Amino acid sequence: MQFFIDTANVDEIREAWDMGIISGVTTNPSLIAKEGKDYMKTLKEITDIVDGPISGEVKASTTTAEGMIAEGREIAKIHKNMVVKIPMTTEGLKAVKVLTAEGIHTNVTLVFSASQALLAARAGATYVSPFLGRLDDISTDGITLIEDIMQIFEMYPDITTQVICASIRHPMHIVECAKTGADIATVPYKVLMQMTKHPLTDIGIARFKKDYESVFGK
Ligand code: E4P
């Protein structure tokens, strides 16, 4: 399973990229708004840091296929690595079909059921993003959704759509997603940092330092 970072914060993206742990980036309107910077410029800045797929979403206020197609073409023009993120609606599916035919990569977002994922795949989406954390939030098992999608996609070799596990809330989500064989998890910076930690690692480093210094000095 590969990791994308789920943020529009360029400092976090640079830090994760420099650690060699991420292969791409996902953003969404909420994440871009949080940074309070120009939308297209922020996406361009991200392409200067990361050499991998970068999802930029069509505007939250755009609801027609025509509007999404026009915006998708503009997002794709930013850089060859740009992926157009499109909401899982009937208009969104039409936009995916057109953009895919033009060779533009798409990521269908806000997927909450296996049937939605299957439709997105059939429309030609490069990626689908099922949101497990938001399902867990309403007492529905998010991991079961990922398992169902993986099981279905594996049964149909003509489906090439990759699954991005999204709305990740903690490191155990990552472990559970990896066990399903999912292609990618898009992970907030905070969770990536939590994944690096183990109390026995910290204790081990302190003990090695103490033992070394007791013989060789500082
Ligand atoms: C996915 O691409 C979304 O940006 C993201 O994972 C949503 O996560 P949230 O439910 O924590 O907002």
Side-chain angles (χ1 to χ4, degrees):
M1 188 171 73
Q2 292 188 335
F3 294 118
F4 289 177
I5 189 167
D6 194 28
T7 183
N9 182 293
V10 289
D11 294 330
E12 292 179 352
I13 292 169
R14 195 172 288 108
E15 177 78 5
W17 179 251
D18 287 349
M19 279 191 278
I21 57 178
I22 58 161
S23 315
V25 181
T26 55
T27 63
N28 66 37
S30 305
L31 292 172
I32 296 255
K34 194 171 148 199
E35 298 306 312
K37 297 199 302 200
D38 182 82
Y39 190 65
M40 298 299 252
K41 275 192 199 149
T42 304
L43 292 176
K44 171 77 186 72
E45 205 177 341
I46 296 170
T47 64
D48 291 337
I49 302 168
V50 171
D51 184 16
I54 295 157
S55 289
E57 192 156 341
V58 295
K59 287 199 193 86
S61 49
T62 307
T63 53
T64 63
E66 292 72 27
M68 293 184 213
I69 292 163
E71 278 178 39
R73 287 175 181 147
E74 290 308 307
I75 290 170
K77 271 188 212 157
I78 296 174
H79 192 276
K80 66 176 172 48
N81 286 340
M82 288 307 304
V83 175
V84 181
K85 209 170 176 192
I86 292 186
M88 176 58 220
T89 61
T90 52
E91 290 298 295
L93 292 175
K94 291 180 202 168
V96 168
K97 182 185 178 202
V98 171
L99 293 171
T100 301
E102 294 177 10
I104 294 173
H105 289 170
T106 56
N107 173 0
V108 174
T109 188
L110 293 166
V111 166
F112 291 96
S113 72
S115 54
Q116 287 180 320
L118 191 49
L119 289 179
R122 287 306 179 207
T126 318
Y127 304 96
V128 285
S129 291
F131 278 37
L132 63 153
R134 292 193 196 183
L135 283 172
D136 286 356
D137 289 346
I138 57 161
S139 306
T140 304
D141 185 14
I143 289 295
T144 303
L145 171 62
I146 308 292
E147 286 168 352
D148 287 350
I149 295 171
M150 290 311 296
Q151 186 186 347
I152 293 166
F153 281 16
E154 277 163 14
M155 285 169 69
Y156 299 96
D158 63 319
I159 293 180
T160 55
T161 305
Q162 294 188 57
V163 176
I164 305 179
C165 303
S167 188
I168 297 278
R169 297 285 156 79
H170 51 72
M172 285 313 292
H173 269 161
I174 302 294
V175 175
E176 294 300 325
C177 286
K179 281 157 74 175
T180 71
D183 305 277
I184 299 148
T186 189
V187 189
Y189 179 79
K190 181 184 156 206
V191 178
L192 286 172
M193 291 307 105
Q194 288 173 329
M195 289 167 68
T196 68
K197 302 287 181 204
H198 195 288
L200 290 178
T201 305
D202 296 339
I203 290 168
I205 287 169
R207 191 178 298 166
F208 283 156
K209 183 169 181 280
K210 184 168 165 276
D211 291 348
Y212 180 88
E213 288 178 354
S214 67
V215 175
F216 302 110
K218 295 202 176 190

